[in-house]
Amino acid sequence: MRLLHTSDWHLGRSFHRESLLGAQRAFLDHLVETVRTERVDAVLVAGDVYDRALPSLDAVALFDDVLHRLADLAVPAVFISGNHDSARRLGVAAGLIGRAGIHLRTDPAGCATPVLLADEHGPVALYGLPYLEPALVRADLGLDRGGHAAVLGAAMERVRADLADRPAGTRSVVLAHAFVTGGQPCDSERDITVGGVASVPASVFDGVDYTALGHLHGCQTLTPRLRYSGSPLAYSFSEARQRKTMWLVDLGADGSVAAERVDCPVPRPLYCLRGRLADLLADPDLDAHKDSWIQVTLTDPGRPADPMERLRRRFPHTLQLLFDPDERPEDGLPSYGARVRGRADLEVAEGFVQHVRPGTELHPAESRWLREAFEAVREDAR
């Protein structure tokens, strides 16, 4: 059985205020053409279909169009909700849409109810595990406490129990949206640490033939049976060196896995420049990047006059301007942005409290209140 694994479409997202709707439309055209030319048997979309819980009408129209086109090809598709999606909104009319072969898996209570397909070698069970926010799904999964590892572990126990009751030789595929230990994150993924430790061990997914992961935006192979497809487009300059692809997965009669990458269209290359303004404006070797989306980090000791305007005269698509002087003041302290880069939301908030209240340790109750506040905001957003 041939599967096409993709994720993290983030329909409706912009790139530093540049609309990506045209690029997202081109990707979906490419996906449908790949399904047709590569004789794909099923499409797996591992979460973050939309970029926001309340997507724009243009984003919804793109999604609606690709659903119709996949249904016209009579190719089943399985979608799960990610941490950017509103599970309830994405799952509206799931039962009716399922009759057209488009299966929306957004309810944690249904994680052990697979989409059943078959080929000449027998049945294949596809289990969709939507993004599991611990505070919201513990009760559904019969847990009193626990973070991401606990809720995913409980969901996978149900999957394995269902699989054990199926005919011998049934092959299995799981779709999940999570941060698995060993994966490499980048700047454009929303933090999922609130509610517990973000990462979960790869062993959580033991016992299935293939796990199609979403959430991390770089294409990655954690094991031959456990892969991230990554996002089809770059959504931050931290992804400038990533090759954007989908996985074309062949599931053998014995459950063996063979996978190859299918490149996605590149709307405009990304490039990061670093140096002093005068050098960047004069370097002839940089002419090759005039048509790229550009991030510039200026290292001038003092801020030059009108740097963005001057840069855009040479590089019209300069989108982001950063400053990192190579000659720092005597205190040598990095910027606030540099100090908090890569830290989780809760960690930043705790650090702020300690900064404005020096000499006083954060009380465990205060940490709990901050964590509960973040969880409440995320619950309201969904």
Side-chain angles (χ1 to χ4, degrees), residues 8-9 20 23-24 27 217 231-235 239 244 264-267:
D8 295 272
W9 293 356
L20 291 178
Q24 290 173 335
F27 160 68
H217 287 186
S231 61
L233 299 171
Y235 292 117
E239 301 169 59
K244 296 299 184 180
C264 297
V266 178

Side-chain angles (χ1 to χ4, degrees), residues 193-256:
T193 57
V194 174
V197 176
S199 63
V200 300
S203 59
V204 165
F205 300 102
D206 286 352
V208 296
D209 294 312
Y210 183 72
T211 300
L213 293 172
H215 179 58
L216 298 184
H217 287 186
C219 182
Q220 303 171 54
T221 300
L222 302 185
T223 76
R225 298 183 182 276
L226 187 68
R227 301 172 189 261
Y228 283 100
S229 68
S231 61
L233 299 171
Y235 292 117
S236 74
F237 280 103
S238 65
E239 301 169 59
R241 296 185 180 182
Q242 291 181 0
R243 175 186 165 199
K244 296 299 184 180
T245 60
M246 302 178 285
W247 284 112
L248 194 63
V249 178
D250 287 314
L251 189 62
D254 59 353
S256 59

Side-chain angles (χ1 to χ4, degrees), residues 307-351:
M308 183 63 91
E309 181 179 343
R310 294 162 68 185
L311 283 164
R312 282 181 171 169
R313 290 189 194 125
R314 185 174 187 198
F315 307 105
H317 304 288
T318 302
L319 299 183
Q320 188 177 34
L321 180 58
L322 306 172
F323 294 92
D324 185 19
D326 52 15
E327 297 177 11
R328 292 192 174 278
E330 291 183 1
D331 63 15
L333 294 176
S335 68
Y336 178 76
R339 294 199 302 272
V340 302
R341 186 174 299 122
R343 296 169 62 186
D345 294 341
L346 181 60
E347 187 181 358
V348 172
E350 290 176 336

Side-chain angles (χ1 to χ4, degrees), residues 65-75 100 102:
D65 179 66
V66 76
L67 295 188
H68 279 85
R69 294 165 71 185
L70 290 173
D72 287 344
L73 290 174
V75 174
I102 306 296

